[in-house]
Amino acid sequence: MPELPEVEVTRLSFADRIAGARIESAAIGKPLRWPLGLAPAALQGRQVLRVRRRGKYLLLDLDHGLLLIHLGMSGSLAFADQLPAAGPHDHFELVTSQGRLRLHDPRRFGAVVWAESEADPVARKLLGHLGVEPLGPGFEPLAFWQALQARRSAIKQVLLAGDIVVGVGNIYASEALFAAGIAPTLSASGLSQVRAERLHGAIRSVLARALEQGGSTLKDFSSAEGKSGYFQLEAMVYDRAGLPCRACGATIQTLRQGQRSTFFCPDCQTS
DNA sequence: AGGGTGACCTGTCGGC
DNA sequence: TGCCGACAGGTCACCC
C-alpha cells in the first residue's frame, strides 16, 4: 500500500501531534518482518522528539535512539487519544502522553525496529543503500541520467529497486513512466539524456500530485488521522488494464516485470 | 556489483 | 457454496 506519498501523508498526519510525547508503554503483537531489537518495556520513559521520513521508512527520533517504521505492503498507522479495541492485525502500539500510535498490518511485511542511531549497523542495513529523495534537492536530472546509464535492467525495475531514487513503488513507477512517455521495458541505459530528464520531472510531479491528493487508497490505506487518499481516481494507467487510455483512447496494457504488474499505454509510451 | 528469483504473510477475488 | 490459484501498495537474502 504505501509508497512515498502514502508514507509522507502518514507522517504529516501525526508528526506534530506526537512530537514531545513521553512513551508510557509499548506493546507488540505477532512478529513483523524484523524483530524490534529490544524489549518493548525498554521504550518506557523515552521521549519522541520528532518524526522524519527516509524513502518509505518513518523515523521516530527518541531522546535515546530511534524507531524505524516500515509499512510494508499492507501497513497503516493510526494516532489518536483513544483507539478501538486492538484487532488481530494490530501488531505494535505505543501509548504516549499525547496519544496512542498503532500499527495495523495484515500481511506483516512491515516492521518496527529500534536502533541506537542511524550509524547503528541495524539502521545502516535498512537505510544505507537507499537512493536520493525524489522531492529533495539531491535529485538532479543530470545525475539521474548518469546513474541510469550504468543499469541494463528495464527502467521500471530500476525505479522500483530504490537504490538510485527512493519512494517510487509499483503504482507511481507505472504512472511516472506514462507521464514521461517511456515504455516500462526500455533498458535504463537506453534512455537519452532528454528522456531521463523528462522522467525525472515526471517522478517529481506524480509524487507531488499524489501527496496533494492524500496518497492512493486502493484498498484500505488511510493516514494516521484516518483519512483516505484520492490519487487512485486520477491514475492514468495503474489498475486500468483493458480500459481506454485517458490521453489517446488506446487500450491500456499490462505485463509482468519481476513478478509485479506493470500498466502502460502502448501508444503514449515508446521505447 | 548487477541482475534474477524465491521468500515472507494474509486477504480477496475470479473461475470452475 | 466451496475449493484453488492468482494476485495485492515492499524488499531482503540468496544464487549466478
Side-chain angles (χ1 to χ4, degrees):
Chain A
M1 120 191 321
E3 302 182 34
L4 184 148
E6 291 75 32
V7 176
E8 181 65 5
V9 163
T10 297
R11 187 184 76 80
L12 292 170
S13 67
F14 81 103
D16 288 350
R17 292 186 290 142
I18 204 173
R22 189 74 62 178
I23 296 173
E24 294 168 359
S25 65
I28 55 179
K30 285 189 184 176
L32 293 164
R33 178 156 191 183
W34 299 294
L36 179 58
L38 45 48
L43 293 172
Q44 191 177 338
R46 298 273 65 79
Q47 191 178 16
V48 180
L49 302 179
R50 62 187 178 280
V51 185
R52 294 178 291 141
R53 180 188 55 72
R54 177 72 179 99
K56 297 171 191 167
Y57 288 88
L58 288 173
L59 311 181
L60 266 67
D61 285 308
L62 308 180
D63 55 355
H64 176 54
L66 71 159
L67 288 172
L68 292 84
I69 300 178
H70 199 290
L71 302 178
M73 290 277 264
S74 58
S76 59
L77 288 175
F79 183 72
D81 290 340
Q82 297 297 330
L83 292 172
H89 301 307
D90 295 325
H91 302 303
F92 180 78
E93 185 162 333
L94 282 184
V95 179
T96 81
S97 55
Q98 293 169 199
R100 291 167 177 258
L101 181 69
R102 178 185 288 175
L103 174 66
H104 176 83
D105 185 5
R107 292 180 72 181
R108 291 191 280 130
F109 287 172
V112 182
V113 176
W114 186 83
E116 183 95 29
S117 73
E118 282 181 74
D120 187 316
V122 176
R124 290 182 55 177
K125 187 186 80 168
L126 301 180
L127 307 177
H129 59 94
L130 297 182
V132 301
E133 287 291 333
L135 300 180
F139 187 42
E140 297 182 313
L142 178 60
F144 180 54
W145 173 64
Q146 289 170 337
L148 294 180
Q149 289 294 102
R151 303 290 284 272
R152 285 183 299 172
S153 299
I155 183 62
K156 160 83 173 342
Q157 296 188 259
V158 171
L159 293 179
L160 286 187
D163 51 354
I164 293 179
V165 59
V166 293
V168 181
N170 208 39
I171 297 175
Y172 303 114
S174 283
E175 292 297 317
L177 286 165
F178 173 85
I182 296 168
T185 48
L186 181 62
S187 166
S189 60
L191 265 74
S192 66
Q193 184 172 356
V194 166
R195 299 187 92 195
E197 291 178 358
R198 197 175 298 146
L199 179 57
H200 169 274
I203 289 168
R204 281 203 154 156
S205 58
V206 164
L207 293 178
R209 176 63 184 162
L211 195 48
E212 283 176 9
Q213 293 301 298
S216 293
T217 297
L218 294 189
K219 199 171 174 295
D220 57 4
F221 169 76
S222 65
S223 74
E225 294 174 308
K227 293 181 182 168
S228 293
Y230 294 94
F231 183 83
Q232 74 280 3
L233 299 176
E234 53 189 73
M236 297 296 280
V237 290
Y238 186 82
D239 207 20
R240 288 182 49 81
L243 297 174
C245 173
R246 290 180 155 148
C248 79
T251 302
I252 300 302
Q253 311 285 308
T254 184
L255 58 85
R256 300 287 291 175
Q257 292 178 286
Q259 298 153 305
R260 312 296 301 280
S261 291
T262 301
F263 301 86
F264 66 102
C265 172
D267 286 2
C268 294
Q269 297 175 251
T270 60
S271 293

